[in-house]
Amino acid sequence: MSLQDRTAIVTGASSGIGRGVADRLAEAGANVVVADVRREPKQIEHYEREDDRPTDEMLPDEHGVEARYVETDVSDEDAVAALVEATVETFGGLDVLVNNAGIQVLESTAEMTREQWQRVIDVNLTGTFLLSKHAIPHLTASDQGRIVNVSSVNAYIGGAGAPYSASKAGIVNLTRDLALELAEDEVTVNTVLPGVIQTPMQNQNDEATRERQAEKTPLPRVGEPRDVANAVRFFASEDAEWITGAELLVDGGYSIGGY
Ligand code: NAD
């Protein structure tokens, strides 16, 4: 699944799943732009610690590709426009956009402020829209234009805080509309829906919650960023050229909901 000489933007690629995605795309030969609000990888408190190198340093060391960090808040349209412009200036085009950056606020709806609600929607859903909007002219110019959106099992089953689940469900339908709009230009748009993945996002969960999540995952381990990254790399590759508007659960069976 070569992505040799392709250029990818991965949002939220300093830590967690985004970092794993950046690593897999670089392994396949892609140059990667890391778009994140922070450069240093966040550490996972409850599992094995990550490598401390920023992703844009790690990728050239490990895979011999080029990588750049561009400080970007995906909810800020001016920053997003500047990110896409800088990418195209540096690498001469854009082939793959991975909308991965996401946040979660664990608060009951009755206690949640409007600002908390709005921030989750702005980052998770509006960020996906803004990146896509600014990337589209360049993706349509590519002969292998790809958008891969990172949603969540919570898009289907809820239970992760109302704005989070709503934003993740929104991403599924945003993907379908984009897939329709971009089909004639042969740009594909797909969603991956991770289950429980060991990343810094899990730091906010207590031990009982983590145990419950592991118990609800039928496969005998919870997920790792590479599990999601493998699915993203597939959608980004030539092998997935006739797949668009699709959703792929990467959840170790979590959403089956048996037992
Ligand atoms: P994480 O918190 O470990 O990493 C998220 C990264 O996004 C961080 O580097 C952070 O700095 C960056 N980020 C946050 N806000 C940003 C913004 N406004 N602009 C740019 N970057 C920003 O999270 P993760 O677990 O790796 O999650 C990645 C994606 O996967 C998210 O969309 C999340 O909802 C989704 N997801 C995660 C899990 C899981 O179990 N970890 C499950 C389902 C879906």
Side-chain angles (χ1 to χ4, degrees):
M1 279 194 220
S2 173
L3 293 171
Q4 201 64 42
D5 299 325
R6 300 283 169 191
T7 300
I9 292 177
V10 183
T11 68
S14 292
S15 311
I17 292 172
R19 184 172 163 87
V21 167
D23 185 62
R24 274 295 192 260
L25 298 184
E27 186 186 54
N31 297 318
V32 178
V33 176
V34 174
D36 203 302
V37 285
R38 54 179 282 161
R39 184 165 180 240
E40 300 72 38
K42 288 197 269 180
Q43 296 298 335
I44 308 178
E45 284 168 15
H46 311 286
Y47 304 102
E48 202 178 312
R49 284 174 76 79
E50 279 194 68
D51 183 329
D52 281 335
R53 284 173 295 175
T55 306
D56 61 298
E57 276 181 21
M58 182 181 80
L59 302 183
D61 288 354
E62 300 293 325
H63 306 299
V65 299
E66 288 189 57
R68 296 276 186 286
Y69 168 72
V70 180
E71 185 177 338
T72 316
D73 179 340
V74 296
S75 69
D76 175 345
E77 183 160 12
D78 290 341
V80 167
L83 159 75
V84 173
E85 203 177 307
T87 302
V88 172
E89 247 174 53
T90 306
F91 294 108
L94 174 63
D95 306 289
V96 179
L97 167 65
V98 182
N99 284 307
N100 163 79
I103 57 169
Q104 185 178 29
V105 173
L106 292 175
E107 186 62 88
S108 68
T109 300
E111 296 295 327
M112 185 170 303
T113 64
R114 187 188 173 109
E115 287 70 29
Q116 286 175 309
W117 164 273
Q118 196 59 53
R119 185 68 189 145
V120 177
I121 299 295
D122 282 351
V123 174
N124 296 6
L125 185 55
T126 309
T128 301
F129 156 69
L130 290 175
L131 260 295
S132 304
K133 173 184 160 68
H134 287 275
I136 282 170
H138 307 290
L139 295 172
T140 54
S142 165
D143 60 0
Q144 197 174 308
R146 301 278 193 268
I147 299 177
V148 186
N149 294 325
V150 178
S151 174
S152 166
V153 285
N154 298 113
Y156 294 161
I157 59 179
Y164 184 83
S165 301
S167 68
K168 293 300 183 180
I171 286 172
V172 172
N173 242 19
L174 173 59
T175 300
R176 294 186 186 128
D177 265 68
L178 285 171
L180 268 183
E181 286 181 31
L182 301 180
E184 66 180 348
D185 290 309
E186 296 183 79
V187 175
T188 69
V189 192
N190 293 292
T191 316
V192 294
L193 299 94
V196 183
I197 312 292
Q198 291 177 3
T199 72
M201 189 177 264
Q202 299 290 339
N203 291 349
Q204 58 190 326
N205 292 328
D206 59 22
E207 198 176 334
T209 305
R210 290 197 305 280
E211 271 173 23
R212 202 175 58 245
Q213 287 178 329
E215 271 167 26
K216 285 176 73 177
T217 301
L219 285 177
R221 64 171 175 84
V222 294
E224 295 177 13
R226 65 183 159 88
D227 296 308
V228 182
N230 287 336
V232 173
R233 182 174 59 174
F234 167 64
F235 279 134
S237 75
E238 208 174 357
D239 289 357
E241 68 179 354
W242 207 66
I243 302 176
T244 197
E247 291 132 56
L248 180 56
L249 284 158
V250 183
D251 70 349
Y254 186 95
S255 56
I256 297 167
Y259 313 115

